[in-house]
Amino acid sequence: MGVVDKIFDNFEMLYDGYTDMPKARAVRKEMCSYFEGEGVNMAEAEHYVTSLVSEYEKQGFLYGFRYACALFFDGTLRI
């Protein structure tokens, strides 16, 4: 397991204030309602959906972190 995987697979244990944000809960509810309306078995589909979303989150984290570091090191982002 890589270091980024450790962050994503255990983040709720690394950050005391971790909880799903209201927008995330609303989108999940919307997706579940859509799947239910289309007759998709959410229990079967959830693994695929969460795997895809997890990979996009990791990708976004890595690109965003690299971008933030670049802004910090070139002087654009100041603390």
Side-chain angles (χ1 to χ4, degrees):
M1 176 182 288
V3 292
V4 173
D5 292 323
K6 286 180 183 178
I7 293 170
F8 277 91
D9 293 341
N10 300 299
F11 192 74
E12 68 280 359
M13 291 181 259
L14 299 174
Y15 181 68
D16 290 337
Y18 181 85
T19 185
D20 286 337
M21 294 181 173
K23 179 75 174 179
R25 287 192 299 267
V27 171
R28 179 176 170 74
K29 183 177 179 181
E30 183 180 346
M31 181 188 69
C32 290
S33 294
Y34 173 78
F35 279 178
E36 187 177 291
E38 293 295 315
V40 175
N41 183 330
M42 189 59 190
E44 292 176 8
E46 187 168 20
H47 167 73
Y48 299 105
V49 172
T50 56
S51 293
L52 176 63
V53 170
S54 177
E55 290 307 314
Y56 276 125
E57 285 180 359
K58 289 176 188 176
Q59 175 179 282
F61 170 78
L62 291 171
Y63 282 121
F65 187 75
R66 288 177 188 163
Y67 182 67
C69 286
L71 292 175
F72 180 76
F73 289 117
D74 77 3
T76 303
L77 183 63
R78 297 179 195 274
I79 296 180

